[in-house]
């Protein structure tokens, strides 16, 4: 079932989206909305998977409350809310979602992509897509909202070097509806595998596209400061940084600087 809000505009194409998705999925479609993540987070709890898609976000956010910049109708802006058991360790989930996006984009002929731990897709040192995950625990379940933004043809003023599919694709055009439904289906597929087997199933796949592998970084969270070289992730998707004296485990990129 699809729910519409604001002006439907060119989002009319998504009216039958749910019929193209695997499983029982509620679809919420907007022409413009403050934030797809916030919208799904505000809904009453439901055991069903829910998807929110918009052609524009007016208050889109990335990691650490940073603004996610985008142009209307020029990118894929969507969120997925999926329920996991509290027994599932969600560490590494953002990495798995990144791998799902990368696999779909490869199917559209986009090669040479890398994943920057823990939540960005890069092409030649420029950001192509980002992921934001929010988790709320309720009784014996974890309600996880997965926000995804993919640049298709954008023109933004941003400190982070960025690129888009229009600039790097060898195809004349990419059907945005097809790309959107393929991304959703692949993310849901990978979430199912992750729920059963954890991150270890994806560890080799991650290692082959690890953007930070071998790169020098500085970590400073006001409690500890160290310099080191990134050397992959552990079985839970935690970043490993080799210093002169030991290998450190890094759980957040907020205090990590690439040198």
């Amino acid at each position: 079932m699809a729910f519409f809000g604001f002006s439907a505009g060119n989002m009319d194409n998504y009216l039958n989206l749910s019929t193209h998705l695997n499983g029982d999925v509620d679809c919420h479609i907007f022409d413009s909305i403050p934030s797809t993540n916030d919208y799904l987070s505000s809904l009453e709890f439901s055991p069903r998977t829910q998807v929110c898609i918009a052609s524009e976000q007016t208050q889109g956010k990335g990691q650490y409350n940073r603004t996610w910049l985008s142009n209307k109708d020029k990118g894929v802006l969507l969120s997925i809310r999926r329920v996991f058991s509290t027994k599932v360790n969600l560490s590494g989930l953002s990495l798995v979602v990144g791998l799902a996006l990368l696999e779909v984009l490869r199917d559209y002929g986009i090669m040479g992509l890398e994943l920057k731990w823990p939540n960005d897709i890069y092409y030649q040192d420029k950001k192509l897509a980002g992921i934001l995950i929010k988790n709320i625990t309720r009784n014996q379940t974890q309600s996880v909202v997965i926000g995804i933004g993919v640049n298709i043809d954008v023109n933004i003023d941003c400190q982070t070097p960025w690129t888009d599919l229009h600039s790097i694709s060898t195809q004349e055009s990419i059907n945005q509806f097809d790309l959107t439904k393929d991304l959703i289906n692949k993310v849901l597929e990978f979430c199912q595998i992750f729920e059963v087997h954890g991150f270890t199933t994806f560890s080799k796949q991650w290692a082959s596209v690890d953007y930070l592998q071998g790169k020098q970084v500085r970590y400073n969270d006001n409690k500890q400061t160290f310099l080191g070289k990134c050397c992959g992730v552990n079985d839970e998707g935690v970043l490993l940084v080799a210093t002169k004296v030991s290998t450190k485990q890094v759980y957040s990129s907020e205090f990590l600087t690439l040198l």
Side-chain angles (χ1 to χ4, degrees):
M1 182 181 296
F3 300 85
F4 281 78
F6 296 87
S7 170
N10 65 356
M11 300 303 284
D12 285 335
N13 298 332
Y14 291 78
L15 181 60
N16 65 343
L17 174 64
S18 60
T19 63
H20 295 268
L21 301 181
N22 300 326
D24 184 17
V25 182
D26 280 336
C27 297
H28 303 251
I29 314 298
F30 295 88
D31 182 54
S32 180
I33 195 174
S35 164
T36 57
N37 261 26
D38 288 349
Y39 176 78
L40 289 185
S41 297
S42 71
L43 297 180
E44 291 185 5
F45 173 82
S46 172
R48 298 176 67 188
T49 297
Q50 298 167 314
V51 169
C52 180
I53 301 171
S55 62
E56 177 186 48
Q57 287 188 122
T58 58
Q59 299 174 24
K61 297 295 182 182
Q63 285 288 313
Y64 317 119
N65 213 34
R66 297 166 183 159
T67 300
W68 176 268
L69 299 174
S70 60
N71 304 125
K72 188 173 183 179
D73 301 322
K74 300 298 185 180
V76 174
L77 301 171
L78 68 90
S79 295
I80 302 169
R81 186 162 86 163
R82 188 191 188 280
V83 172
F84 292 82
S85 165
T86 52
K87 296 179 181 179
V88 177
N89 180 359
L90 294 178
S91 179
L93 178 58
S94 65
L95 282 63
V96 171
V97 174
L99 288 170
L101 268 61
L102 190 147
E103 184 166 306
V104 172
L105 291 171
R106 280 177 173 168
D107 290 339
Y108 281 80
I110 311 299
M111 312 305 288
L113 299 176
E114 296 178 287
L115 294 174
K116 183 181 179 184
W117 183 91
N119 52 11
D120 292 328
I121 294 182
Y122 268 55
Y123 177 81
Q124 296 183 355
D125 299 322
K126 295 180 179 180
K127 185 173 178 177
L128 173 67
I131 300 158
L132 176 65
I133 294 181
K134 300 172 67 176
N135 177 31
I136 299 175
T137 301
R138 174 190 171 95
N139 297 328
Q140 298 302 312
T141 60
Q142 301 177 88
S143 181
V144 180
V145 176
I146 304 167
I148 296 169
V150 182
N151 297 330
I152 291 182
D153 186 8
V154 299
N155 182 17
I156 55 178
D157 183 13
C158 180
Q159 291 181 340
T160 302
W162 57 269
T163 189
D164 56 30
L165 295 180
H166 175 77
S167 301
I168 66 177
S169 175
T170 57
Q171 299 184 26
E172 291 186 4
S173 64
I174 292 177
N175 185 296
Q176 190 164 327
F177 176 86
D178 288 342
L179 175 60
T180 300
K181 60 97 172 172
D182 289 344
L183 288 172
I184 295 171
N185 281 329
K186 185 60 66 174
V187 168
L188 293 178
E189 176 190 339
F190 275 31
C191 281
Q192 180 64 32
I193 298 172
F194 174 81
E195 184 173 37
V196 176
H197 301 288
F199 177 74
T200 52
T201 302
F202 300 92
S203 57
K204 289 184 178 180
Q205 193 174 346
W206 170 267
S208 67
V209 291
D210 185 354
Y211 176 81
L212 290 182
Q213 177 66 43
K215 289 185 169 61
Q216 297 286 339
V217 293
R218 175 188 290 112
Y219 183 86
N220 180 9
D221 65 358
N222 296 322
K223 294 181 181 180
Q224 62 173 333
T225 301
F226 57 83
L227 300 175
K229 180 186 293 186
C230 295
C231 53
V233 299
N234 66 12
D235 288 342
E236 296 181 348
V238 177
L239 181 67
L240 302 177
V241 178
T243 71
K244 291 182 178 180
V245 295
S246 65
T247 297
K248 301 283 189 178
Q249 295 186 357
V250 177
Y251 293 86
S252 170
S253 62
E254 183 175 8
F255 309 104
L256 195 71
T257 303
L258 186 60
L259 301 179

